[in-house]
Amino acid sequence: MSTGTLLAIVIPIAVVVVLIAAALALFLRHRALRQRFGPEYERTVDGADSRLAAERELSAREKRHDKLDIKPLPDHLRERYSRDWDHVQHEFVDRPEDAVHDADHLVTSLMQDRGYPTESYDQQLKDLSVEHGRTLEHYRAAHEIDTLSASHKATTEQLRGAMVHYRALFDELLSDGGQTRHAPA
């Protein structure tokens, strides 16, 4: 076989192999992000210009998250938070709006003690989405009701729902739900 004929066979095969490898890599990345972020994956895709843009955003969240020093709580803090939550739940009976505000502050404090930055709600959502994408909708719903209650527009049933929603994320954060990952050394 001449060199030209050999090249005419090898080059197209190499191109096809490279294209298959690239498609496989994109598929595996897509599947890994979907599994990691759960419902947050679809939410991000729906809000982005394209699936590729959404996946870049989710990858950027992962990179930022990997730089955070997320850590489990020591037993004494875990016990204190459990007691504080019990207090907030008891407060709900007499002062539901205050209890919901206190639950929000308690969850934020817990996030901070675990190592999550808490300066902005939107950034909290992005940081939490990496390990807590499956419970993040609870946090959004609770925060929305907390905002309503600040202007006294939330019903008692909505406030009760907010407590349930806060509890879902609280329990996961308290028990180190998700995969606790530390920043590279």
Side-chain angles (χ1 to χ4, degrees):
M1 242 191 247
S2 71
T3 306
T5 305
L6 194 55
L7 286 176
I9 294 171
V10 170
I11 289 175
I13 291 173
V15 168
V16 168
V17 167
V18 166
L19 290 175
I20 290 172
L24 182 61
L26 284 174
F27 171 76
L28 292 174
R29 177 177 171 232
H30 166 78
R31 191 172 78 184
L33 287 171
R34 184 184 285 272
Q35 286 177 330
R36 176 104 197 244
F37 286 90
E40 187 65 14
Y41 177 88
E42 291 303 326
R43 183 180 191 67
T44 304
V45 168
D46 290 345
D49 294 336
S50 68
R51 182 174 303 279
L52 187 60
E55 290 184 355
R56 270 195 297 256
E57 161 68 20
L58 294 171
S59 292
R61 290 182 194 185
E62 283 182 318
K63 287 177 184 158
R64 174 183 158 82
H65 187 273
D66 286 345
K67 293 177 184 176
L68 300 175
D69 184 22
I70 307 300
K71 55 197 172 290
L73 288 176
D75 288 340
H76 74 278
L77 276 180
R78 188 182 322 279
E79 291 167 11
R80 188 195 87 206
Y81 275 109
S82 289
R83 283 191 308 272
D84 290 350
W85 183 264
D86 288 343
H87 174 74
V88 168
Q89 279 187 296
H90 292 305
E91 176 185 25
F92 185 81
V93 173
D94 295 323
R95 298 181 3 250
E97 283 183 344
D98 292 339
V100 169
H101 295 312
D102 290 348
D104 180 70
H105 293 299
L106 191 59
V107 167
T108 301
S109 177
L110 176 55
M111 288 186 318
Q112 190 169 29
D113 280 349
R114 288 284 315 275
Y116 288 96
T118 57
E119 61 273 353
S120 128
Y121 172 71
D122 289 335
Q123 190 59 53
Q124 286 174 359
L125 290 174
K126 289 177 183 179
D127 291 339
L128 286 169
S129 72
V130 177
E131 288 186 6
H132 305 284
R134 300 199 190 291
T135 54
L136 198 55
E137 199 53 42
H138 286 287
Y139 187 47
R140 278 191 179 95
H143 186 77
E144 185 178 313
I145 295 166
D146 185 40
T147 302
L148 271 176
S149 76
S151 57
H152 308 293
K153 293 181 180 173
T155 67
T156 302
E157 186 57 27
Q158 287 174 312
L159 295 170
R160 187 197 67 72
M163 293 295 290
V164 171
H165 290 307
Y166 277 128
R167 181 66 189 242
L169 180 59
F170 178 85
D171 284 345
E172 192 168 296
L173 287 167
L174 193 65
S175 68
D176 302 326
Q179 310 137 246
T180 302
R181 298 176 353 171
H182 298 278

